[in-house]
Amino acid sequence: MHPVRKQRLILVLLLVTLSSAAIALITYALRQNIDFFYPPSKFAAEEVPHNVRVRAGGCVVPGSVFRSEESLAVRFSITDGVAQVPVKYTGILPDLFAEGEAAVVTGKLQSSGVFEAEQVLAKHDETYTPPEVQEAMVGDHTATCQGAGKAMASDY
Amino acid sequence: MNFQFSSFAEFIEMAGHGPFVWAAYVVTLVTLIALIVLPSRGASRFIAQEKKRLDVAERRARAAATVATPETSG
Amino acid sequence: MNWQWFHRLGSPRWFYQKTQAWLPWLAIASVVLLVTGAIWGLGFAPQDAKQGNSYRIIFIHVPAAVLALVGYYVMAISGAIGLIWRMKLPFVVMRAAAPIGAALTFVALFTGAVWGKPTWGTYWVWDARITSMLLLLLLYIGVIALGQAFLQERTADKACAILALVGTVNIPIIYKSVDWWNSLHQPATIKLTESSSIHPSMFYPLLVMVVGFYCFYAWSLILHTRQQILVRERKTRWVQQMVASGSTRLVEEGGKA
């Protein structure tokens, strides 16, 4: 290779490396802010501020969903396998919201420890299966919070 | 492998998800067509424009030549 | 080492001549694959156990997103080759890749939004995956705008190449964002190292669509590059001959070149 071209190649590589390093440092410094939601274990560790708009995400604990009979109010708990956060919400839930599925809630943590949600989003996992196949794996039915669990595992 | 819907209406409806699914496909289709049509048409247009420019220049040169000829000859 | 073959690649005329024969094949392959994949995905693939029919958007969402990311590398690597070897053609390819990448990124974002509404319950959230994808769109638009901001083509090419190269850091961030941070977007379905978490009856149409999008990308990139070549090389004899004949087809004098 021609020495001038080699020099320009090195310059190009340097440009890419340095800019990548800069961005890597910035994203590393901001890693807390880039997380879309707090896992319940952060709530348990008292790392989440009270009465400030935040998001919490985790698996909807099977059997924890209680719907009010006269209004759209609903209560449920989310977990990351370490801790649980009780959530209160009034409104229409997304179609994919279900026990044993992941959900992300936006709202404020009350001093009582209950999370008052103003928005509930369903987080689905990355698996796609036809209904017949899904029914065949009955045992697996409740263990579908991989998406949420994985994101949280990478936190530690 | 079978067709998953029992009627065409059901296929369009997609159990309520129709508007979302079809919106996604239609917007994608329009974008993909644009990504083919725009450069092809751009190329032919460019050639046509250049040809026109060339023809005009040629005609002008010829006109200038015919005007110039009697003067020089006369 | 003999670099002659490499420098021949840098000749716009050589590229224009070579790709002419590829175009009909790429067009046929793209249309056949995309139509087959779309009909298969829309009508014949089974519905998803949880998401029902809304998941059918995956057959365009994933391929568009894949090509939006791959297309960025195409643009950046072309720019790097142009910077290092000062060749004309790589710069043209780089500039041609920008609008295609922008359009595919837009498609990925739009299809993601209309998929998000029936599944997540919202069109848009500012999570790491979606925000970094929006940044990708802005980078593509930045390259397009920067290219038009300079009067001198050479300066524009260099500026675009530098911006494209700096932006490459965003690609691994987009790809890994769902693993590195908590996000609403789910992790990747098609994995390179482990088995994919999608049933074969849904995976095959997706594969057809991904291959179809690759063919389509090549087709569109070649068309965009050829158009730019005509404009940039308009002063050359071979383009002037094409102008005189009024056709975008390059006919070699004396039969075989």
Side-chain angles (χ1 to χ4, degrees):
Chain A
M1 208 162 152
H2 197 278
V4 179
R5 286 178 196 134
K6 196 169 232 168
Q7 201 184 352
R8 287 199 291 242
L9 173 68
I10 293 167
L11 274 174
V12 163
L13 291 177
L14 214 65
L15 175 75
V16 172
T17 325
L18 285 181
S19 55
S20 304
I23 303 291
L25 284 173
I26 293 169
T27 44
Y28 184 74
L30 294 174
R31 65 195 181 283
Q32 296 277 302
N33 300 333
I34 295 171
D35 276 328
F36 189 61
F37 54 80
Y38 289 105
S41 50
K42 293 262 182 194
F43 284 82
E46 308 265 316
E47 282 180 42
V48 182
H50 287 257
N51 295 311
V52 177
R53 204 158 172 273
V54 290
R55 290 193 199 89
C59 185
V60 179
V61 180
S64 73
V65 180
F66 293 101
R67 287 167 208 263
S68 160
E69 291 192 354
E70 58 265 22
S71 71
L72 284 171
V74 60
R75 271 189 303 130
F76 56 91
S77 295
I78 54 171
T79 180
D80 56 357
V82 179
Q84 288 196 4
V85 173
V87 180
K88 263 170 67 182
Y89 174 68
T90 303
I92 297 164
L93 291 163
D95 292 349
L96 285 189
F97 178 89
E99 295 182 354
E101 297 289 337
V104 175
V105 295
T106 311
K108 288 174 183 166
L109 179 63
Q110 307 297 308
S111 342
S112 60
V114 174
F115 193 94
E116 279 252 2
E118 49 198 66
Q119 185 191 38
V120 175
L121 299 176
K123 178 177 158 77
H124 62 83
D125 58 29
E126 72 280 22
T127 56
Y128 301 91
T129 38
E132 314 88 75
V133 182
Q134 173 80 10
E135 274 158 32
M137 342 184 274
V138 192
D140 249 12
H141 194 68
T142 47
T144 46
C145 279
Q146 298 143 329
K150 200 170 169 188
M152 278 140 210
S154 66
D155 247 28
Y156 297 95
Chain B
M1 199 165 65
N2 293 312
F3 193 61
Q4 299 291 313
F5 304 91
S6 53
S7 70
F8 187 72
E10 238 176 68
F11 178 53
I12 298 300
E13 170 76 23
M14 289 214 168
H17 289 149
F20 303 105
V21 175
W22 292 111
Y25 275 80
V26 167
V27 167
T28 306
L29 182 70
V30 169
T31 313
L32 295 193
I33 289 174
L35 282 178
I36 294 302
V37 169
L38 291 181
S40 313
R41 226 175 41 186
S44 352
R45 266 204 196 142
F46 172 78
I47 290 286
Q49 259 170 24
E50 284 288 288
K51 193 170 165 57
K52 209 167 156 190
R53 204 173 55 84
L54 209 74
D55 289 350
V56 168
E58 209 173 286
R59 221 177 300 137
R60 235 177 245 154
R62 213 179 296 141
T66 48
V67 167
T69 335
E71 273 173 29
T72 47
S73 65
Chain C
M1 195 175 165
N2 189 5
W3 287 84
Q4 210 188 342
W5 62 272
F6 188 74
H7 284 275
R8 225 179 46 184
L9 274 176
S11 152
R13 183 188 181 172
W14 178 86
F15 179 90
Y16 201 94
Q17 166 85 45
K18 261 282 174 258
T19 53
Q20 199 156 266
W22 302 351
L23 284 173
W25 298 108
L26 280 172
I28 293 169
S30 314
V31 172
V32 168
L33 287 168
L34 292 179
V35 169
T36 311
I39 293 175
W40 192 348
L42 278 170
F44 291 90
Q47 55 170 282
D48 180 61
K50 285 175 207 153
Q51 300 184 35
N53 288 312
S54 64
Y55 99 97
R56 293 183 194 280
I57 295 171
I58 198 176
F59 300 113
I60 45 177
H61 177 74
V62 166
V66 166
L67 265 300
L69 301 198
V70 169
Y72 197 88
Y73 279 128
V74 170
M75 181 173 81
I77 291 169
S78 305
I81 295 173
L83 279 182
I84 296 165
W85 278 275
R86 296 285 147 87
M87 288 193 290
K88 285 182 190 168
L89 184 64
F91 277 137
V92 183
V93 173
M94 169 191 78
R95 298 282 290 277
I100 310 173
L104 291 174
T105 310
F106 164 76
V107 166
L109 284 170
F110 181 84
T111 54
V114 290
W115 189 5
K117 186 65 186 169
T119 50
W120 301 336
T122 180
Y123 286 107
W124 187 268
V125 288
W126 294 97
D127 84 343
R129 167 58 68 83
I130 302 169
T131 309
S132 54
M133 203 64 187
L134 185 67
L135 183 62
L136 182 73
L137 180 63
L138 295 178
L139 278 168
Y140 274 127
I141 293 174
V143 171
I144 298 171
L146 200 59
Q148 289 171 347
F150 292 93
L151 281 174
Q152 249 200 326
E153 210 75 82
R154 283 179 68 86
T155 329
D157 285 342
K158 276 189 220 165
C160 289
I162 290 170
L163 176 60
L165 282 165
V166 170
T168 48
V169 60
N170 191 31
I171 305 299
I173 292 180
I174 295 174
Y175 185 66
K176 295 301 280 180
S177 56
V178 283
D179 300 323
W180 288 344
W181 300 289
N182 293 333
S183 61
L184 186 60
H185 195 288
Q186 68 283 5
T189 294
I190 302 175
K191 298 166 192 97
L192 296 173
T193 47
E194 359 167 2
S195 63
S196 296
S197 49
I198 178 165
H199 193 264
S201 58
M202 303 155 158
F203 177 68
Y204 292 127
L206 182 56
L207 196 65
V208 170
M209 287 301 271
V210 171
V211 177
F213 264 76
Y214 267 101
C215 291
F216 175 87
Y217 184 85
W219 182 24
S220 184
L221 184 66
I222 288 173
L223 284 176
H224 277 89
T225 308
R226 285 164 66 91
Q227 185 207 353
Q228 289 239 351
I229 285 176
L230 285 184
V231 177
R232 288 195 185 201
E233 302 287 296
R234 62 168 164 265
K235 298 265 165 61
T236 62
R237 210 165 68 90
W238 68 275
V239 175
Q240 284 301 316
Q241 276 172 350
M242 282 166 57
V243 168
S245 73
S247 153
T248 55
R249 276 189 74 81
L250 174 60
V251 186
E252 280 297 316
E253 60 259 47
K256 269 191 163 179

